[in-house]
Amino acid sequence: MSDPSLTPELIEERLALLRAAFAERTDREVRIVGVTKRHPVPVIAMALDAGLVDLAENYAQELRAKAAELGSAAAGTGPVRWHFIGQLQSNKVRLIADDVSCWQSVDRGGVAEQIARRHPSATVMVQLDLAGIPGRGGCPPGEAAALVDRCRSLDLDVVGLMGVGAPGTADEARPGFRTLVSLADELGLPERSIGMSGDALAAVEEGSTMVRLGSALFGPRPAG
Ligand SMILES: *Cc1c(COP(=O)(O)O)cnc(C)c1O
């Protein structure tokens, strides 16, 4: 179960504290994407009430179900800008092609091709594997330039790079963040989607333009 004491006001307070902490560390604008995976639709409604517009999910079926529920039930809420951040199977792209605003987890050519077919000119990010852990998603940094080229040749709008910090302390995630930021610079990509609840401040110090926050905003995730 999600934290029963969660309210839109509590989310707003947490957002204000986080924004202040980011502003102490950078002049850049850092966009906050709320990660709502495993939280039910009422938590999403609170996030929208608190002023969040960018929300992210990891599983295609879960995103589709929530988007459908919000579309029918939440006439009073503003539109959600959905980011897809999970490991993407090519055969799931079609299911959520009408829902997703930004595909953050493009890590191979086959997925890019499916997105280009189902969602022409889509906004995408290339996900890098920053920890060197195969099977967890992300392409090796050395292959990023070729994948970015492939996406561009498919007429996808590549806006940045995304990565999950290496496991361990926030400081242990910094070298990976630096790799991602310097690659984004080299490739001319403005967005760097790095930083989660445990390492957002380090990521902002290293050059993040977008943090993906779940537990820092909504508390622990329900099991499942
Ligand atoms: C779950 C998840 C997040 C958010 O994690 P928190 O630690 O709860 O902030 C961010 N990015 C990705 C890719 C995730 O899977």
Side-chain angles (χ1 to χ4, degrees):
M1 202 172 81
S2 301
D3 176 359
S5 61
L6 195 65
T7 61
E9 292 71 29
L10 181 55
I11 298 172
E12 268 177 45
E13 248 171 65
R14 289 170 172 170
L15 282 168
L17 289 172
L18 286 159
R19 290 196 175 111
F22 298 160
E24 276 172 21
R25 288 165 172 81
T26 182
D27 293 331
R28 256 176 295 107
E29 196 187 321
V30 179
R31 203 188 318 177
I32 297 178
V33 176
V35 179
T36 50
K37 65 181 172 206
R38 302 216 301 263
H39 288 291
V41 163
V43 169
I44 297 177
M46 287 189 227
L48 296 171
D49 268 0
L52 275 173
V53 176
D54 292 281
L55 299 178
E57 289 281 339
N58 287 57
Y59 298 99
Q61 283 96 331
E62 189 176 340
L63 192 158
R64 178 81 278 278
K66 288 172 172 175
E69 202 177 325
L70 282 167
S72 59
T77 61
V80 178
R81 208 148 48 209
W82 286 112
H83 297 247
F84 192 81
I85 60 171
Q87 279 186 265
L88 193 51
Q89 293 164 277
S90 295
N91 62 355
K92 295 290 164 54
V93 168
R94 187 163 64 125
L95 182 67
I96 52 173
D98 291 339
D99 301 313
V100 172
S101 293
C102 180
W103 304 83
Q104 291 205 15
S105 46
V106 175
D107 63 358
R108 55 194 194 279
V111 163
E113 282 163 23
Q114 277 302 313
I115 294 172
R117 181 186 305 176
R118 307 292 182 187
H119 187 172
S121 317
T123 299
V124 304
M125 295 191 194
V126 163
Q127 181 180 354
L128 299 188
D129 171 14
L130 300 182
I133 306 177
R136 292 246 312 238
C139 82
E143 295 170 18
L147 184 51
V148 168
D149 280 348
R150 180 87 189 98
C151 290
R152 285 174 171 158
S153 75
L154 290 163
D155 202 28
L156 295 169
D157 183 18
V158 190
V159 295
L161 299 178
M162 185 271 255
V164 173
T169 65
D171 279 336
E172 286 167 327
R174 286 179 193 265
F177 292 158
R178 281 181 207 139
T179 299
L180 184 145
V181 169
S182 63
L183 250 177
D185 281 343
E186 271 171 42
L187 299 170
L189 299 170
E191 295 283 2
R192 304 88 192 263
S193 174
I194 46 175
M196 301 169 36
S197 295
D199 54 22
L201 297 179
V204 166
E205 286 173 358
E206 298 297 345
S208 174
T209 61
M210 187 182 285
V211 292
R212 307 176 310 270
L213 302 177
S215 47
L217 296 176
F218 311 124
R221 276 183 281 280

